[in-house]
Amino acid sequence: MSQPLHADIVIVAFNSGDWLRRAVASALAADAVGIVIVVDNASTDHSLAAIAPHPRVVRVENPVNVGFATAANQGWRAATAEHVLLLNPDCVLATQVVAALLAVQAEFADAGVVSAQLLNSDGSAQVQSLRRDPTPKRAIAQALGWRAVGIHIKPPAVPGIVAVEACSGALMLMRKSLLEALNGFDEGYFLHCEDLDLCRRVRQLQLRVLVDTRVRVVHDKGTSSAAVPDLVAHAKYRGMLRYFEKFDAAQTAWPLRVLVNVGAWLRYRMS
């Protein structure tokens, strides 16, 4: 008789305050969860110390902040389960969330990444849950307010499973074997755009990124980054340029390439 599916959970933390304790507690209480791996990027707020010792909690403490991508790779490589759920510390899991996502993974053989509909604290849908690749034309359309052809996708009127080009890195379920095949996140990103990069490489393997909008998770985004806005703005700027050069620059006409670089720099300066 086969063992029921379960996933190990990886949480990358940096000065995450009491949200980290809540995220870990919700993960331990959720169904279909094995171990919870907390990778701390040299926090100074004592949030890691607030987590009581637990036999199912594994701690990885980095002496410096190595960035999200590198820390996430440390986390999933420490996992022992067949499936890994990457979870932001500002997310709280309901009991059935992990089991529901595992069921989607099991149902679709070509499911590379499975995610949920993320919600703001007021219950509204977060646009980062369902995304298209941020090609130059889409990024410009998004900046001009033409959201119908931009990056973000409106949730379906009737909740269900949606195939998208990218989902949010705040909550991503994947097979560990796929992460190994991809060598995980590109560690050239420090913070931001590494989730878009991973989703694109998953799709290059003819696998799909699926979001089950019936599964909902509150994500109080930005709790860790609020204290270091300059670092976050610079990391986002570098991440956007890295993503563009890696995937889209070669097939983009030079005037548009210049516009992309200038637009990214202006966005960074304005932020």
Side-chain angles (χ1 to χ4, degrees), residues 203-218:
R203 288 173 24 245
Q204 286 175 344
L205 296 178
Q206 307 303 311
L207 298 173
R208 291 195 293 170
V209 179
L210 301 178
V211 178
D212 191 340
T213 60
R214 298 167 300 183
V215 182
R216 301 180 168 222
V217 176
V218 174

Side-chain angles (χ1 to χ4, degrees), residues 166-196:
C167 64
S168 171
L171 190 148
M172 303 174 80
L173 176 74
M174 299 180 67
R175 290 186 175 88
K176 184 177 179 181
S177 58
L178 177 57
L179 284 162
E180 289 171 340
L182 293 167
N183 199 28
F185 289 95
D186 179 348
E187 296 184 5
Y189 299 95
F190 185 83
L191 181 68
H192 288 292
C193 297
E194 68 286 316
D195 49 357
L196 295 167

Side-chain angles (χ1 to χ4, degrees), residues 42-243:
S43 294
T44 57
D45 65 348
H46 308 294
S47 53
L48 189 63
I51 301 173
H54 193 284
R56 289 169 53 213
V57 174
V58 176
R59 302 169 189 240
V60 179
E61 299 182 49
N62 289 321
V64 297
N65 188 346
V66 297
F68 177 84
T70 299
N73 286 343
Q74 290 176 296
W76 68 257
R77 288 186 176 116
T80 58
E82 179 184 350
H83 295 85
V84 177
L85 178 70
L86 292 153
L87 183 72
N88 270 23
D90 44 13
C91 292
V92 175
L93 295 176
T95 306
Q96 296 293 326
V97 165
V98 180
L101 297 180
L102 285 167
V104 175
Q105 178 86 77
E107 182 179 355
F108 297 95
D110 63 345
V113 180
V114 179
S115 189
Q117 176 65 63
L118 300 178
L119 305 176
N120 296 307
S121 55
D122 63 1
S124 59
Q126 287 186 0
V127 295
Q128 293 84 1
S129 296
L130 302 100
R131 293 189 280 183
R132 303 181 182 96
D133 291 333
T135 61
K137 290 181 180 179
R138 286 173 178 167
I140 292 170
Q142 191 81 28
L144 294 174
W146 301 337
R147 300 193 181 278
V149 291
I151 296 168
H152 301 136
I153 303 170
K154 289 181 64 175
V158 179
I161 299 172
V162 183
V164 295
E165 291 179 346
C167 64
S168 171
L171 190 148
M172 303 174 80
L173 176 74
M174 299 180 67
R175 290 186 175 88
K176 184 177 179 181
S177 58
L178 177 57
L179 284 162
E180 289 171 340
L182 293 167
N183 199 28
F185 289 95
D186 179 348
E187 296 184 5
Y189 299 95
F190 185 83
L191 181 68
H192 288 292
C193 297
E194 68 286 316
D195 49 357
L196 295 167
D197 179 296
L198 187 70
C199 287
R200 192 146 176 179
R201 289 187 288 126
V202 164
R203 288 173 24 245
Q204 286 175 344
L205 296 178
Q206 307 303 311
L207 298 173
R208 291 195 293 170
V209 179
L210 301 178
V211 178
D212 191 340
T213 60
R214 298 167 300 183
V215 182
R216 301 180 168 222
V217 176
V218 174
H219 173 217
D220 196 9
K221 62 181 180 180
T223 56
S224 297
S225 58
V228 284
D230 292 343
L231 172 65
V232 172
H234 186 258
K236 185 177 291 188
Y237 165 65
R238 295 296 299 271
M240 290 169 60
L241 291 184
R242 181 176 182 83
Y243 180 93

